[in-house]
Amino acid sequence: MIQIGTRVGYIGPTIEKPWLPRGTEGIVIDVDPGMPFPFICNFNVPEGEDWPMTRRDLEVIR
């Protein structure tokens, strides 16, 4: 289950997001189940923060 504070890795397509390579680690900072991109994640990339993601874009890091 992905919730606020969950460590995640990005596994989505890099063609759509070239600034976010597969395997980039981040943390979920907000969850809104009613939205098309329900997981807001903060990744350590210079292009910004607070990126909206879907479940298929993320892998939970344990």
Side-chain angles (χ1 to χ4, degrees), residues 4-42:
I4 294 173
T6 301
R7 287 183 54 222
V8 293
Y10 179 70
I11 59 170
T14 57
I15 291 173
E16 295 173 10
K17 300 175 182 76
W19 43 265
L20 190 60
R22 288 178 72 97
T24 301
E25 293 187 16
I27 189 163
V28 176
I29 59 171
D30 195 12
V31 178
D32 188 350
M35 298 299 290
F37 297 90
F39 304 104
I40 307 300
C41 301
N42 190 334

Side-chain angles (χ1 to χ4, degrees), residues 40-57:
I40 307 300
C41 301
N42 190 334
F43 292 98
N44 188 20
V45 294
E47 285 76 8
E49 55 189 45
D50 302 350
W51 300 105
M53 299 284 160
T54 66
R55 176 63 182 100
R56 63 182 155 81
D57 290 327

